[in-house]
Amino acid sequence: MIGGSEVATDNVLEIKNLHTYFYTDDGVVKAVDGVDVELKRGSTLGIVGESGSGKSVTSLSVMGLLTGTKGKIAEGEILLDGKDIVSLSKEERRKIRGNKISMIFQEPMTSLNPVMKIGDQIVECVLQHEKISKKEAYEKAEKMLTMTGVPRVHHMMKEYPFQLSGGQRQRVMIAMALVCKPEILIADEPTTALDVTIQAQILDLMNQLKKETGTSILFITHDLGVVAEICDDVAVMYCGRVVEKGDVKSIFYNPSHPYTRGLLASIPRVGDAGKELQSIPGNVPNPKYMPEGCKFAPRCPYAKEKCRKEEPGFFRMPEEGHISRCWMCENSTASENDGQKGGV
Ligand SMILES: Nc1ncnc2c1ncn2[C@@H]1O[C@H](COP(=O)(O)OP(=O)(O)O)[C@@H](O)[C@H]1O
Ligand SMILES: [Mg+2]
């Protein structure tokens, strides 16, 4: 490289060494236990992993939505535009939720008001953020809803959530989330409840809106197939940890962690009809009985004695930014990993 100086990437969000624990009556549940991820400005980061790996707790930690649960950020930083937001007051966190970070969930009905017309709900979002007239807000709401590709927008503005299909409700949620031009959109399994055709349409829509609005997206899913459609970078989570991280090409063409490979083998592909998909044998361990060593070792076909005893740190893989928490990768780029004793 000419000059040789390293250009710092512009991360809109950085989660550093995040530990989020639930202090329940029968013990501490370490739902997120040392997560580091970076969301580059204008890009989409996928967080993927089976149910129970700590994806939603990570997003709730970013949103500041742990109140009302027994959960607490025990350690770590969440940097928004370089500024830590963990220690901010509830009021300041609420403002960030309104202005800078929006979230859409799997089930839009939990966030839509069942007794309020769609149009009024979007207008309310607009008016919370902008000092414009009600008429202008209505026009803005209608324009945003049109962008999401729903038919008969004029009519839908006057309808109630129960009158809409699941896919339409998810589009309304996206309109509500994006109408305030957030810097970051967190989407937690936004298409999981939808059938495949509608799912594909919603992913197209998110890709298109990302281009038009420049919003950075944190996309959470249990489905690596969905990740391929929408993400630039991927963090694979297991048992509250990131086990592999890299750009989408590295993860799909050179997956190095046996867990990632297991997830990839369980994606349905065209031509697979009739074939049985491989799912990863065994279950995610109960957080109260976490295995020693690598948390995936009890399910891993390659696990050795060392894996069961000692948890690996991250090893660098040959591709830029690709790292993996597996002892098998210890010598993958020997010169870099030599003497690191399981950590980068
Ligand atoms: N409110 C809660 N109280 C106690 N434990 C919780 C709570 N929410 C989540 N957990 C635990 O945290 C872990 C991670 O959960 P979650 O982030 O929802 O997983 P994912 O979204 O990846 O499916 C699970 O073991 C879950 O049981
Ligand atoms: Mg979840």
Side-chain angles (χ1 to χ4, degrees), residues 13-20 34-37 58 61-62 73-80 82-87 93:
L13 182 75
E14 278 181 40
I15 300 177
K16 289 189 158 178
N17 193 30
L18 181 68
H19 295 256
T20 304
V35 161
D36 287 89
V37 288
T58 301
S61 305
V62 174
I73 295 180
E75 201 186 327
E77 289 179 314
I78 298 170
L79 305 180
L80 177 63
K83 227 182 101 204
D84 187 25
I85 57 171
V86 170
S87 50
R93 291 304 291 273

Side-chain angles (χ1 to χ4, degrees), residues 61 73 83 96 121 128 146 182 203 241 253 271 307 344:
S61 305
I73 295 180
K83 227 182 101 204
I96 289 176
Q121 298 195 44
Q128 270 169 18
T146 309
L203 293 179
R241 292 148 174 77
Y253 297 137
C307 308
V344 275

Side-chain angles (χ1 to χ4, degrees), residues 275-289:
K275 279 191 213 155
E276 201 177 318
L277 287 171
Q278 282 175 269
S279 64
I280 306 171
N283 296 308
V284 175
N286 180 328
K288 281 187 214 119
Y289 307 99

Side-chain angles (χ1 to χ4, degrees), residues 179-342:
V179 79
C180 315
K181 298 201 166 55
E183 273 184 74
I184 300 171
L185 174 67
I186 301 183
D188 191 348
E189 310 262 5
T191 60
T192 302
L194 305 172
D195 76 50
V196 276
T197 320
I198 309 291
Q199 176 170 312
Q201 289 172 7
I202 298 281
L203 293 179
D204 279 350
L205 168 68
M206 291 185 69
N207 269 332
Q208 181 198 330
L209 293 179
K210 179 177 81 172
K211 271 191 213 134
E212 281 166 25
T213 61
T215 304
S216 317
I217 304 177
L218 189 63
F219 195 97
I220 291 169
T221 177
H222 66 279
D223 183 351
L224 256 179
V226 169
V227 164
E229 302 291 324
I230 190 157
C231 297
D232 303 297
D233 296 294
V234 187
V236 181
M237 271 186 83
Y238 188 70
C239 291
R241 292 148 174 77
V242 173
V243 295
E244 183 163 8
K245 200 159 67 171
D247 63 27
V248 72
K249 278 192 189 138
S250 308
I251 298 295
F252 276 79
Y253 297 137
N254 282 320
S256 67
H257 200 289
Y259 181 62
T260 311
R261 292 193 205 148
L263 291 178
L264 281 165
S266 52
I267 305 175
R269 286 164 213 269
V270 179
D272 274 353
K275 279 191 213 155
E276 201 177 318
L277 287 171
Q278 282 175 269
S279 64
I280 306 171
N283 296 308
V284 175
N286 180 328
K288 281 187 214 119
Y289 307 99
M290 264 315 161
E292 250 185 77
C294 171
K295 306 305 165 223
F296 189 60
R299 302 171 72 186
C300 181
Y302 311 101
K304 298 198 171 63
E305 202 47 36
K306 186 182 191 180
C307 308
R308 294 195 182 91
K309 288 215 175 102
E310 207 182 323
E311 186 169 21
F314 280 113
F315 295 108
R316 288 199 185 101
M317 303 304 293
E319 302 93 347
E320 173 86 38
H322 184 190
I323 56 175
S324 179
R325 200 191 259 273
C326 174
W327 284 121
M328 288 195 298
C329 303
E330 193 170 12
N331 299 313
S332 54
T333 50
S335 60
E336 297 214 33
N337 290 327
D338 248 6
Q340 297 244 4
K341 269 211 127 230

